[in-house]
Amino acid sequence: AQSVTQLGSHVSVSEGALVLLRCNYSSSVPPYLFWYVQYPNQGLQLLLKYTTGATLVKGINGFEAEFKKSETSFHLTKPSAHMSDAAEYFCAVSEGNTGKLIFGQGTTLQVKP
Amino acid sequence: GAVVSQHPSRVICKSGTSVKIECRSLDFQATTMFWYRQFPKQSLMLMATSNEGSKATYEQGVEKDKFLINHASLTLSTLTVTSAHPEDSSFYICSARGFRRDVSGNTIYFGEGSWLTVV
């Protein structure tokens, strides 16, 4: 079975500061990994995904994540936070390309002026 | 623009009635669609997987007779909440998996979600 753990349900950073949202996964097969962002009362928007190949994945809005198999991690980073980054972030894993996603608990990112 | 459309975006129904939520892929054929449920301030929980022309596969703990899923075509899946109760109130989100023109790979797209309130 697969699972995802997001460390920290709430992260607060100052505008311009580094954003680091942590995600660890468990999977018995090579995983596909995803980060999604959700704004209040809206659906999910894909930030980035890792399938195979290069372990450093660049996404939209300046976000990137690095797949580290030895650490079973897929942490999301952004060098400089913007006020518009304040939202809920979800890490997810799937068994290959099945499309069936298992989500982490979510991390609320607060950006302070 | 949106590639997966959900309708309605918000619905209020009386306890004991049934309500249908539609999930449409707008410019691609979705071989598989997924239905998730999200309670306020919580994560998304996969309810079921539906493949066009076959019965849906439900996750453990999801009542298939209460949450009826129909995937009648490659662009439409419906979720019907039967005999709804207040505890069924939630945000329901669908996703669709398929190939879009000019997009490489088999990609997953999420709908905007549907708020169900049962009173």
Side-chain angles (χ1 to χ4, degrees):
Chain A
Q2 296 181 305
S3 66
V4 176
T5 301
Q6 291 182 240
L7 299 175
S9 60
H10 191 101
V11 170
S12 181
V13 301
S14 298
E15 190 174 20
L18 171 71
V19 175
L20 170 60
L21 304 183
R22 299 179 186 274
C23 172
N24 288 88
Y25 70 91
S26 172
S27 179
S28 58
V29 299
Y32 280 25
L33 294 159
F34 306 80
W35 274 100
Y36 286 89
V37 61
Q38 185 180 36
Y39 295 98
N41 300 317
Q42 295 186 25
L44 300 179
Q45 181 181 14
L46 178 67
L47 286 176
L48 48 81
K49 65 179 179 181
Y50 168 79
T51 55
T52 58
T55 56
L56 181 61
V57 181
K58 294 186 183 297
I60 62 172
N61 300 340
F63 286 95
E64 63 182 37
E66 186 171 10
F67 170 61
K68 292 187 177 181
K69 184 178 179 180
S70 61
E71 298 177 8
T72 60
S73 69
F74 190 58
H75 302 330
L76 181 71
T77 60
K78 181 174 181 177
S80 177
H82 192 273
M83 296 297 292
S84 61
D85 295 326
E88 189 77 13
Y89 290 80
F90 292 98
C91 181
V93 64
S94 73
E95 285 185 1
N97 196 21
T98 61
K100 177 179 172 179
L101 299 182
I102 305 300
F103 286 85
Q105 305 92 316
T107 298
T108 303
L109 176 64
Q110 180 187 24
V111 182
K112 299 176 290 185
Chain B
V3 297
V4 174
S5 171
Q6 274 187 247
H7 178 81
S9 58
R10 288 181 179 273
V11 58
I12 300 173
C13 71
K14 291 185 177 180
S15 187
T17 63
S18 295
V19 61
K20 181 185 290 186
I21 300 170
E22 294 185 345
C23 178
R24 292 182 185 273
S25 57
L26 298 181
D27 65 354
F28 68 101
Q29 293 185 330
T31 52
T32 309
M33 288 185 171
F34 304 87
W35 287 95
Y36 295 84
R37 182 175 183 177
Q38 184 180 30
F39 290 104
K41 306 293 185 183
Q42 295 189 28
S43 187
L44 287 81
M45 299 296 294
L46 179 65
M47 298 175 67
T49 302
S50 75
N51 294 291
E52 186 266 340
S54 63
K55 289 185 177 180
T57 303
Y58 290 82
E59 296 299 304
Q60 191 172 9
V62 177
E63 298 176 61
K64 62 181 180 181
D65 293 331
K66 181 166 188 60
F67 298 100
L68 300 179
I69 292 172
N70 187 309
H71 194 157
S73 76
L74 283 171
T75 59
L76 175 65
S77 177
T78 60
L79 167 68
T80 301
V81 182
T82 63
S83 187
H85 288 97
E87 56 265 30
D88 298 325
S89 300
S90 188
F91 191 51
Y92 293 88
I93 307 177
C94 72
S95 69
R97 177 171 171 263
F99 289 93
R100 287 180 68 216
R101 191 176 178 181
D102 299 331
V103 177
S104 64
N106 203 350
T107 306
I108 305 162
Y109 300 92
F110 278 83
E112 289 297 311
S114 299
W115 277 106
L116 170 63
T117 302
V118 184
V119 298

